[in-house]
Amino acid sequence: LNLSESAKAYVATQIELDRALELLINKLEETNKLDNTLIVLQADHYPYELDMNAINSLSTYERDDYVEVNHNALIIWNSKLEDMHISKPCMSSDVLPTVYNLFGIDYDSRLFTGRDILSDSFGIAIMRNHSWITDKGIYYANSKNFVANEGQEIQDGYIDSINTLVNNRLNIAKLIVDTNYYNYL
């Protein structure tokens, strides 16, 4: 590969993950447990040890170090699930509500900052610095600049409305951790 050593090392970790998943799937199949297993794979961050040049050498497009560096994939797989591709913005806090709904588990959605990715609710990905992505575009919090996606018409108040939602979700998430809220449930 025509990559830096750090990028090659990252690719090697992905090859090892792929091999481990193959082994896991084969063992589950051998023990007749594959159909009753849900595999969820999600990167919770970008490869911190790689600089942006190395990250971009592995990417199919130029990523910025502000928002796009966080763009990754979520895989939810079961041998019986129908294949589908969801492209709406989402984030790690959306995974648990999605899995709960896949299993038909009752839960109080008010206790989660995320939403079911498979629902018809709009998608949003929120960055720690208050930047965000929706189907309408990307908001860069540091510069207070919104870049609309091609063909999107942005209504008055949209950015302020989403900024309020982002602030509320980030505050709720912080309070859940700071107060050990789930311990009280």
Side-chain angles (χ1 to χ4, degrees):
L1 298 174
N2 186 21
L3 299 170
S4 67
E5 284 301 308
S6 60
K8 287 179 186 177
Y10 181 76
V11 170
T13 65
Q14 302 314 296
I15 291 169
E16 288 303 312
L17 174 61
D18 185 59
R19 290 175 177 165
L21 286 169
E22 180 182 27
L23 179 65
L24 174 64
I25 288 169
N26 288 339
K27 292 286 184 187
L28 289 167
E29 194 167 37
E30 287 171 15
T31 58
N32 294 319
K33 295 179 181 175
L34 184 60
D35 291 348
N36 293 322
T37 300
L38 184 72
I39 295 175
V40 180
L41 291 172
Q42 187 219 359
D44 64 347
H45 54 77
Y46 59 91
Y48 290 144
E49 298 301 316
L50 298 183
D51 62 27
M52 283 309 297
N53 288 333
I55 290 171
N56 280 320
S57 73
L58 297 169
S59 181
T60 58
Y61 63 94
E62 189 77 15
R63 294 172 183 257
D64 64 39
D65 60 355
Y66 192 65
V67 172
E68 271 301 318
V69 70
N70 294 294
H71 187 178
N72 58 55
L74 166 66
I75 298 170
I76 299 175
W77 183 84
N78 170 274
S79 60
K80 300 290 186 185
L81 280 178
E82 175 185 327
D83 286 350
M84 63 180 82
H85 177 84
I86 308 296
S87 60
K88 72 179 176 181
C90 58
M91 55 192 177
S92 58
S93 62
D94 296 327
V95 175
L96 189 57
T98 303
V99 170
Y100 275 9
N101 280 337
L102 276 172
F103 281 105
I105 297 171
D106 282 337
Y107 68 97
D108 187 343
S109 63
R110 298 173 298 173
L111 300 177
F112 295 95
T113 56
R115 301 292 174 258
D116 178 6
I117 297 164
L118 302 174
S119 74
D120 58 2
S121 65
F122 83 98
I124 185 168
I126 300 170
M127 310 304 144
R128 160 174 65 178
N129 67 1
H130 293 244
S131 296
W132 46 265
I133 303 170
T134 66
D135 62 333
K136 303 255 186 227
I138 301 174
Y139 178 77
Y140 297 91
N142 287 352
S143 63
K144 298 185 178 4
N145 183 36
F146 180 75
V147 178
N149 290 338
E150 188 175 326
Q152 291 293 327
E153 187 174 317
I154 308 305
Q155 297 176 341
D156 288 342
Y158 176 76
I159 295 168
D160 289 338
S161 172
I162 300 298
N163 278 334
T164 298
L165 173 82
V166 166
N167 288 333
N168 287 340
R169 286 201 188 167
L170 288 173
N171 285 335
I172 289 167
K174 182 180 181 325
L175 286 169
I176 287 170
V177 172
D178 289 351
T179 64
N180 196 13
Y181 181 71
Y182 294 127
N183 187 51
Y184 295 103
L185 294 178

